[in-house]
Amino acid sequence: MEDKAQIQEAIKVQGEVVRKLKSEKASKEQIDEEVAKLLELKARLGGGDDGKHQFVLKTPKETLTGKYGEDSKLIYDLKDQGGELLSLRYDLTVPFARYLAMNKITNIKRYHIAKVYRRDNPAMTRGRYREFYQCDFDIAGQYDAMIPDAECLKIVHEILSELELGDFRIKVNDRRILDGMFAVCGVPDDKFRTICSTVDKLDKLPWQEVRKEMVDEKGLSEEAADQIGEYVSLHGGMDLAERLLQDPRMSQSKQACAGLSDIKLLFSYMQLFQVTDKVVFDLSLARGLDYYTGVIYEAVLTQAGVAPVALASNDAQNGSEESVSVGSVAGGGRYDGLVGMFDPKNRKVPCVGVSIGIERIFSIMEQRAEAAAEKVRTTEVQVLVASAQKNLLEERLRLVTELWNAGIKAEVMYKKNPKLLSQLQLCEEMGIPLVAILGEQELKDGVVKLRVVVSREEVDVPRSDLITEIKRRTSDA
């Protein structure tokens, strides 16, 4: 049996090799080969006396490698005291797939809001950060084609409509259509993923620059690049899928035909969900992550004032940061093979999901409100209990208690004798809509002066009717 210390030293050395390759931005194939050697060493270290290699899932090591394609350069790599490779969470999808595999879950529907980390160039006004929140919704399980996929698109449509961010489009495509397109256009098999990553840049670069990268940097023939250019300029709906099924080249690919048939089915379900007004079948949509296997989609804002520039994790830093230029706010797709990558027996669990960029949406909402000079409410408080004179703290506390007991969101200033002007200014700053003002005369008359902060309208309300009046006014709002 090998000496444990020798294997640990070999693991440390091999870990350095992998880190060096990543820092030098070596090819994915080179990195994967060296990572495989590292995993082999770890298996030998953890193997039993019978020499068999045991597949043991541990937190959090070696989970992210080989899942993100060219976006892997944005992963925050770390190193623990033993020299083992670690990384900060890049997204919520890979950890979710790993969780399903570890717990042998084959059927689940869930949402998850949490922080993720990208080694990116931050641009605050574009909603691009190195540490930010995402909200994911996923459906895992064996279901009939396109039903859960259509529901994910319905959810994106509902969220963006309810938030009133302006006009938007949800672009859809399918990885099988892309791979079939690459095949019939003459792209070599080993260049599919790297060409896919280049096509993914079409949302922020003109076709000529994308073509130049394909030919000059990726080594693709000019003829193949031009054929790809003909297809990626196409967009439409179910009618486009039907046309492509009859296309002389695309119809030669079984993979592309399977994807096109599913796109047709997807559009038929989306018609029933009443969301086709915002959905477009766009052959330029690629999404560079390696784990997608079927339908992919991306939601892009298109209204004036928000440039339709998709800001994926690997976006270039273009233009000024002075205007609202956050385009892509959600994206996702089907990843049927990801769970199997973490399962010792490669048991697959079909999955589809969507990720909502919370910070990007907040960026848009905040800047739109600022541009329109709108006051953004920072609290859910409905009414502030205020006093017009000194020595009325006890009366304010009695009244706020009555309101709390009635389920009204109320507050008082934490001062014994605050000035009335200070209390009114607090309401304006925090967006509190109502002020219940107590004074000596109001107490004597058995009323409360209710003030509407925005209009400055004031009305005396009998103490016995105050709760009803506040509820009426806040329900109308």
Side-chain angles (χ1 to χ4, degrees), residues 370-385:
E370 185 177 336
E374 295 175 0
K375 176 68 70 174
V376 177
R377 284 199 67 186
T378 58
T379 177
E380 292 187 359
V381 176
Q382 298 167 309
V383 58
L384 181 80
V385 177

Side-chain angles (χ1 to χ4, degrees), residues 194-223:
T194 186
I195 295 300
C196 186
S197 293
T198 302
V199 170
D200 193 38
K201 298 176 183 178
L202 276 169
D203 53 11
K204 54 189 173 292
L205 294 176
W207 163 248
Q208 287 305 320
E209 289 187 37
V210 170
R211 182 186 184 278
K212 188 174 187 297
E213 181 177 313
M214 286 182 180
V215 175
D216 295 350
E217 297 179 27
K218 303 293 177 69
L220 191 64
S221 70
E222 291 189 358
E223 183 184 359

Side-chain angles (χ1 to χ4, degrees), residues 308-423:
V309 178
L311 296 177
S313 56
N314 60 341
D315 292 328
Q317 190 119 355
N318 296 320
S320 168
E321 291 190 18
E322 295 304 315
S323 62
V324 184
S325 55
V326 181
S328 175
V329 292
R334 178 160 286 279
Y335 51 101
D336 289 348
L338 190 56
V339 176
M341 296 175 71
F342 298 109
D343 190 282
K345 297 182 180 179
N346 196 32
R347 287 172 293 209
K348 294 185 178 180
V349 178
C351 298
V352 65
V354 63
S355 179
I356 310 292
I358 296 176
E359 311 277 3
R360 293 181 178 184
I361 288 174
F362 282 179
S363 237
I364 296 163
M365 296 177 74
E366 288 169 1
Q367 293 193 39
R368 280 166 60 91
E370 185 177 336
E374 295 175 0
K375 176 68 70 174
V376 177
R377 284 199 67 186
T378 58
T379 177
E380 292 187 359
V381 176
Q382 298 167 309
V383 58
L384 181 80
V385 177
S387 55
Q389 288 100 25
K390 293 182 178 181
N391 304 319
L392 293 175
L393 174 61
E394 291 183 3
E395 294 299 334
R396 283 192 290 139
L397 296 181
R398 284 194 185 95
L399 180 54
V400 80
T401 302
E402 288 179 27
L403 300 181
W404 287 341
N405 291 342
I408 292 172
K409 297 172 183 176
E411 274 194 7
V412 293
M413 280 190 76
Y414 301 133
K415 287 186 175 181
K416 284 186 176 181
N417 297 304
K419 294 179 179 178
L420 180 58
L421 181 59
S422 300
Q423 296 169 90

Side-chain angles (χ1 to χ4, degrees), residues 425-442:
Q425 286 175 340
L426 177 67
C427 292
E428 291 183 357
E429 290 168 6
M430 298 184 67
I432 300 172
L434 298 173
V435 191
I437 303 173
L438 290 170
E440 293 175 358
Q441 189 61 47
E442 283 79 14

Side-chain angles (χ1 to χ4, degrees), residues 262-293:
D262 275 352
I263 287 289
K264 283 182 61 180
L265 186 60
L266 179 67
F267 268 86
S268 69
Y269 293 146
M270 289 191 296
Q271 285 176 347
L272 297 173
F273 284 149
Q274 301 178 359
V275 298
T276 49
D277 61 317
K278 299 294 185 182
V279 181
V280 58
F281 175 26
D282 188 336
L283 266 73
S284 70
L285 179 64
R287 294 194 64 79
L289 302 181
D290 278 358
Y291 52 65
Y292 289 125
T293 57

Side-chain angles (χ1 to χ4, degrees), residues 16-33:
E16 291 293 341
V17 171
V18 174
R19 273 188 293 279
K20 187 170 185 291
L21 287 173
K22 286 190 174 183
S23 66
E24 293 174 349
K25 297 183 180 177
S27 70
K28 179 179 179 297
E29 290 74 19
Q30 282 181 288
I31 294 173
D32 287 350
E33 183 180 346

